[in-house]
Amino acid sequence: MHKLFIKPRTSNMIVFAASTLCTVQGNIALAQDVATTASTQLIAASTDPTAVSTVEISSKKSRSVVSMSSTEVQKILPGVNPLKALQTLPGVSFQTADPWGNNEQNLLLFVHGFNGQQLGYTMDGVPLGDQQYGNYNGLAPQRAVTSENVRRVVLATGAGDLGTASTSNLGGTIETYSSDPLAQRNVNLQQTVGSHSASRTFVRFDTGDLGNGNSAYISALHHKAKAWDFNGIQSNDQVNAKFIHNSESGKFTAFADWSDKTEPNEDSILHRSDLVSPYTRPFLYPDFAAALAYLSAGGAPPASVGPNFQNYYSDAQRTDKLAYVKYEAFLRDNLTWSNQYYYHHNDGVGVVAGPINQAGLPGLFAVYYPNQNLKQLFGNSGYATRTTEYNINRDGFISTLRLELGDHSIEAGAWYEHNRSGTYRRWYALDVNNPSSPYTRPGNLAKPIITQYASKIDNEVVQFHIQDDWKLRPDLSLQAGFKSSLQFAKGTFPVQQLPAAIGSGSTGLPEGEIDTKKWFLPQIGVRWDVSPNSQIFANVQKNMRQFVTYGAGGLSPWSLAGQPAFKLFADTAKPETSLIYELGLRDNRQLNIGPITSFEGQINLYHVDFSNRLLAISSNPIITSFVGGTTLLANVGSVKTNGVDIAGTLHFGRDFSFYNALSFNSSKYQDNYTSGSSLVPTAGKSIPGSPEWMNKFVATANFGNTEVQLSGDYVGRRYATYTNDLSIPSYFLLGLTVSGKLPVPTSFIKNLRWTLALTNVADRKGILQINGSYVASGSYASYSIPPRQGFLTLKADF
């Protein structure tokens, strides 16, 4: 739907290509950021320094890596989520409800068949957790650093670097890097306005060089936009600050982030043969009179809408404080030692105000208040407000030693994190005479009617790694190493859920410890410069995803319906593992074929053996989504994946280029599984949600000071259930961006620029994505394609 990075070529830049390559600036600090080592550039830069370039090809890795610079990220849409910026790349499927990609509740990401929770995420090396909507071990990249302050975002579509601080990177890593302070004093101001009352204001002050190697910046953001299909307001206030001290002996960095974010949640639409499904499922807020008229006297929505009833409101509120300090010591010319300490605190809540007489709620409430008038109990409106309240307190330390020794580039490191997280499920009244707002936490106004449960998880992670990049000869390198991953987790429930609310025979949600240790997760790869224009790479790597340590939710052992099920899981279950094989060819050459002047591209083939897949098997998924008691969490077999990415850019002289990326992915279950006494026939079926075929293109043209980009995003059919009995159709969306410079009215203003971005140019309608909660057969839930939207941004430096 958007476009790939188009950048003027410069002689001091090494850029990696479209599907599996990494962009690296020619300075030591950034080279360490992306964990590369010095080697000869594969392809010389274009002889025309002003030519438009979609991608340039080079490599420091024996596996696939792709990078986008800040300039190209912001071209998609100023302020865009760094994850959404990767949408244009082959093998990446990303969908969400808002144009910036900020809505986390309905965000869906697949990379080579792995979902978003099976990837690893970092910001300046700091782990960001597995990105589950129910926060427990991290935060989203756009909450860790303001989009406008992103220097680069890097995707490794294999298992990622051995030193990546993540316990979830089965299928790759996404690393975001913040920009450094500018060398000159500067004030940058950006203002975006657009569809649905959108307004985004960003201001950043750079001190410039303060002397003695010191520099800093501080920035502030205020973002506000209305949801496209109902009266909900997305807002975010965020402050970033960064300080750097450079000296001959080392580099000291301090970074701080504060983010306060609220976003309206989108309710998904259920599709089933007995239902007529609407295009959207909007909330009723703020029309409280309509909300009261919508329910029956007993608090039930109209029977005709079935499960697609309308809630009064729902939103997610997240407040994060993140900081780190890092010192890179230059011990010798060939030896550096980097040490980084980080701290993260999160205070969050997910809020839903919905009818009291739906989805099994009367049975749940009756456990706590038997034989009561539930409508009267919950404020006489027919609605109740449910919260899931999160807190995270985690800190950690990362230490990395790098040694250049002859033909060897050796790296060894360790990561330690201690995370104390908690989750609270509470129910509040929605008073008919004083209805609450989605933008105020219910706990600030009243005491809960029910505290369903409160969980506490204490989790420690330790990882070690060592690797060597050995230059066997000038054109051939061998990369090899391994990592160890250990996790020690203990979960308790200070407030225990009543057994009758969990299910028959339960004595309460489980407590206890689970320790998992994997000492040897190896990686080996080769990189061969076949010619000055071409390079072959191959890589094999094994990785593991540690068990989720979320209290009473998701694929967490502490969500099981009782202590016996927890003990069985602890004694028999195995963490998910992946073994990834990659083989690729990169090429970049000047041409003289009519109007075509140069080409760069890559083909990448991969195979994955994904073992010990975990699945939450519930006897009643609708009710357990509220009460948080999963009947069974078990290993249900393996997945085999085969795929290919083909991406390349053709250049037509200085001012026009065409990029295209075609990808195919086949990810199939190898085993059936049992749910109760029923066999679920999944063997040979494709995983739901992930498309087999995708194609993306970007056509870019320069007309003097104006640049035009037209992008296309084709996403093929996706299966919607585990047994593949239902699917959703393909879609094709167009995006258009036009940007340029404006005359500077005064010497006080510098670099006055404008950008006009349009999404879904043809205003297509249809299903955008499945909501990520799959069932075996018979039904699925989805989100719809948003309409065409437009945004105008003005930028200036002072």
Side-chain angles (χ1 to χ4, degrees):
M1 181 164 154
H2 295 288
K3 55 272 156 224
L4 190 71
F5 34 107
I6 308 298
K7 164 185 302 291
R9 297 181 180 180
T10 56
S11 59
N12 66 341
M13 184 175 295
I14 301 173
V15 183
F16 299 95
S19 86
T20 50
L21 310 172
C22 173
T23 307
V24 180
Q25 296 280 1
N27 58 67
I28 294 174
L30 183 54
Q32 290 176 345
D33 280 345
V34 294
T36 61
T37 55
S39 68
T40 303
Q41 184 177 352
L42 175 64
I43 303 299
S46 169
T47 56
D48 183 357
T50 63
V52 172
S53 172
T54 301
V55 289
E56 297 177 15
I57 299 175
S58 181
S59 175
K60 304 292 184 182
K61 288 293 180 182
S62 62
R63 60 179 177 272
S64 60
V65 181
V66 66
S67 174
M68 293 181 67
S69 71
S70 59
T71 302
E72 314 312 329
V73 169
Q74 295 305 310
K75 281 182 181 179
I76 294 171
L77 178 62
V80 72
N81 179 354
L83 299 183
K84 186 177 176 64
L86 301 176
Q87 177 179 314
T88 315
L89 306 178
V92 178
S93 175
F94 180 98
Q95 294 94 24
T96 192
D98 71 298
W100 282 275
N102 286 334
N103 190 302
E104 299 172 37
Q105 175 249 3
N106 74 339
L107 185 153
L108 190 67
L109 172 65
F110 280 94
V111 176
H112 287 179
F114 287 99
N115 67 49
Q117 285 73 53
Q118 294 168 329
L119 306 174
Y121 306 82
T122 64
M123 194 285 293
D124 289 353
V126 174
L128 301 182
D130 69 0
Q131 303 298 293
Q132 292 204 32
Y133 171 67
N135 293 66
Y136 74 98
N137 73 340
L139 71 165
Q142 71 271 22
R143 285 193 271 137
V145 58
T146 303
S147 173
E148 289 84 351
N149 291 329
V150 169
R151 174 177 58 180
R152 195 165 305 278
V153 57
V154 180
L155 168 68
T157 54
D161 285 327
L162 293 174
T164 301
S166 171
T167 60
S168 57
N169 55 314
L170 275 179
T173 59
I174 298 175
E175 301 171 275
T176 303
Y177 295 96
S178 65
S179 60
D180 284 347
L182 298 176
Q184 302 294 325
R185 180 174 296 184
N186 188 71
V187 175
N188 176 251
L189 180 62
Q190 301 184 30
Q191 177 65 52
T192 299
V193 294
S195 298
H196 308 292
S197 304
S199 175
R200 183 180 179 93
T201 305
F202 172 80
V203 60
R204 168 169 155 168
F205 170 67
D206 282 81
T207 64
D209 186 2
L210 296 172
N212 299 317
N214 297 318
S215 59
Y217 69 74
I218 186 169
S219 70
L221 167 74
H222 178 68
H223 174 105
K224 193 171 185 180
K226 182 179 175 292
W228 65 272
D229 56 339
F230 60 92
N231 197 358
I233 304 299
Q234 179 187 78
S235 66
N236 186 27
D237 293 302
Q238 190 168 14
V239 176
N240 286 170
K242 191 171 188 179
F243 170 80
I244 287 181
H245 171 72
N246 282 302
S247 68
E248 292 184 357
S249 59
K251 177 182 178 181
F252 173 79
T253 305
F255 176 87
D257 166 74
W258 173 82
S259 171
D260 187 37
K261 180 183 177 189
T262 299
E263 62 186 21
N265 289 332
E266 294 272 341
D267 268 347
S268 58
I269 301 101
L270 184 66
H271 300 263
R272 205 169 58 198
S273 60
D274 61 333
L275 296 175
V276 176
S277 300
Y279 190 72
T280 61
R281 193 178 157 199
F283 298 121
L284 296 165
Y285 178 87
D287 192 342
F288 191 56
L292 294 176
Y294 184 68
L295 301 183
S296 70
S304 60
V305 300
N308 288 315
F309 60 87
Q310 293 174 260
N311 286 308
Y312 182 49
Y313 63 74
S314 176
D315 74 336
Q317 303 172 38
R318 305 283 190 265
T319 302
D320 292 278
K321 300 172 184 176
L322 176 72
Y324 74 79
V325 290
K326 180 179 181 179
Y327 186 67
E328 300 166 87
F330 308 144
L331 302 179
R332 295 179 181 175
D333 290 343
N334 65 339
L335 181 64
T336 63
W337 187 17
S338 171
N339 290 283
Q340 183 176 23
Y341 170 79
Y342 63 89
Y343 172 77
H344 172 222
H345 172 77
N346 169 264
D347 178 23
V349 59
V351 185
V352 180
I356 60 171
N357 193 354
Q358 49 83 31
L361 289 183
L364 171 65
F365 296 153
V367 172
Y368 291 86
Y369 292 94
N371 303 316
Q372 296 264 346
N373 184 322
L374 296 179
K375 184 175 181 180
Q376 187 177 31
L377 178 69
F378 282 98
N380 223 24
S381 66
Y383 292 89
T385 301
R386 187 199 77 188
T387 66
T388 308
E389 301 167 26
Y390 313 95
N391 62 70
I392 302 171
N393 285 284
R394 63 187 182 107
D395 57 351
F397 187 76
I398 303 168
S399 183
T400 307
L401 197 66
R402 297 182 179 92
L403 174 65
E404 301 291 330
L405 192 62
D407 293 329
H408 296 268
S409 297
I410 301 169
E411 178 182 295
W415 166 45
Y416 169 79
E417 178 175 282
H418 186 198
N419 182 22
R420 288 80 66 197
S421 64
T423 307
Y424 302 81
R425 171 62 56 81
R426 293 183 170 121
W427 296 85
Y428 297 85
L430 203 159
D431 191 343
V432 68
N433 298 312
N434 187 23
S436 55
S437 157
Y439 310 114
T440 303
R441 297 191 182 188
N444 294 338
L445 303 174
K447 292 182 179 180
I449 303 297
I450 298 171
T451 297
Q452 193 173 326
Y453 60 76
S455 72
K456 295 288 186 182
I457 305 290
D458 191 285
N459 183 43
E460 292 181 281
V461 171
V462 181
Q463 286 192 175
F464 310 97
H465 79 279
I466 186 168
Q467 61 188 24
D468 182 18
D469 188 335
W470 181 13
K471 187 174 282 295
L472 300 173
R473 62 189 195 197
D475 64 344
L476 183 64
S477 294
L478 174 69
Q479 295 180 338
F482 73 93
K483 78 173 183 179
S484 304
S485 182
L486 300 84
Q487 180 172 276
F488 310 91
K490 179 181 180 180
T492 60
F493 284 86
V495 177
Q496 180 60 261
Q497 184 159 291
L498 295 184
I502 303 173
S504 176
S506 176
T507 57
L509 293 168
E511 300 183 323
E513 299 181 25
I514 296 181
D515 298 339
T516 50
K517 306 171 187 176
K518 196 73 170 181
W519 292 99
F520 187 66
L521 295 166
Q523 177 264 329
I524 186 168
V526 294
R527 187 181 66 245
W528 178 27
D529 297 343
V530 181
S531 72
N533 295 326
S534 302
Q535 183 186 76
I536 291 175
F537 66 92
N539 194 72
V540 181
Q541 188 166 350
K542 185 175 183 179
N543 207 0
M544 176 183 72
R545 181 191 185 195
Q546 291 282 8
F547 293 133
V548 171
T549 57
Y550 180 82
L555 295 178
S556 167
W558 290 273
S559 69
L560 292 165
Q563 207 67 38
F566 179 85
K567 185 178 187 308
L568 177 65
F569 180 90
D571 292 342
T572 61
K574 298 179 180 179
E576 297 176 330
T577 59
S578 63
L579 187 60
I580 300 175
Y581 305 83
E582 296 177 274
L583 176 65
L585 170 67
R586 302 165 177 135
D587 189 83
N588 185 328
R589 61 187 64 233
Q590 301 299 309
L591 299 172
N592 187 17
I593 306 175
I596 302 174
T597 54
S598 64
F599 167 80
E600 59 253 0
Q602 175 176 286
I603 180 170
N604 177 45
L605 295 90
Y606 58 91
H607 171 80
V608 181
D609 292 321
F610 172 28
S611 303
N612 303 316
R613 182 172 73 95
L614 281 172
L615 180 67
I617 305 170
S618 173
S619 59
N620 194 331
I622 294 177
I623 294 178
T624 53
S625 68
F626 286 98
V627 304
T630 297
T631 306
L632 182 64
L633 180 62
N635 295 120
V636 292
S638 60
V639 180
K640 289 193 181 298
T641 294
N642 294 291
V644 59
D645 293 335
I646 305 173
T649 302
L650 291 171
H651 299 274
F652 301 81
R654 297 175 59 250
D655 295 323
F656 182 73
S657 70
F658 184 80
Y659 160 82
N660 197 83
L662 175 67
S663 60
F664 171 78
N665 177 277
S666 174
S667 297
K668 294 186 180 296
Y669 298 123
Q670 301 300 297
D671 307 274
N672 300 322
Y673 72 90
T674 301
S675 178
S677 59
S678 301
L679 182 72
V680 182
T682 53
K685 305 298 184 181
S686 296
I687 65 170
S690 178
E692 283 192 337
W693 289 99
M694 290 187 290
N695 191 77
K696 296 98 180 281
F697 77 80
V698 182
T700 304
N702 278 342
F703 303 96
N705 288 329
T706 303
E707 181 180 272
V708 179
Q709 288 188 341
L710 179 67
S711 59
D713 185 12
Y714 170 80
V715 175
R717 185 184 68 157
R718 289 144 289 167
Y719 288 106
T721 63
Y722 290 126
T723 59
N724 295 175
D725 66 320
L726 297 172
S727 64
I728 64 174
S730 61
Y731 67 75
F732 176 71
L733 300 178
L734 285 172
L736 178 66
T737 301
V738 184
S739 60
K741 298 180 180 180
L742 290 171
V744 179
T746 171
S747 60
F748 178 68
I749 301 176
K750 301 171 290 183
N751 302 322
L752 188 58
R753 306 169 306 280
W754 61 274
T755 300
L756 176 64
L758 296 178
T759 64
N760 190 9
V761 173
D763 204 23
R764 298 291 188 189
K765 298 186 183 299
I767 295 176
L768 180 69
Q769 66 185 84
I770 308 168
N771 77 345
S773 297
Y774 311 110
V775 298
S777 62
S779 67
Y780 66 91
S782 73
Y783 300 99
S784 298
I785 297 174
R788 179 173 51 239
Q789 299 176 71
F791 304 92
L792 175 65
T793 301
L794 295 178
K795 308 177 185 180
D797 295 310
F798 300 89

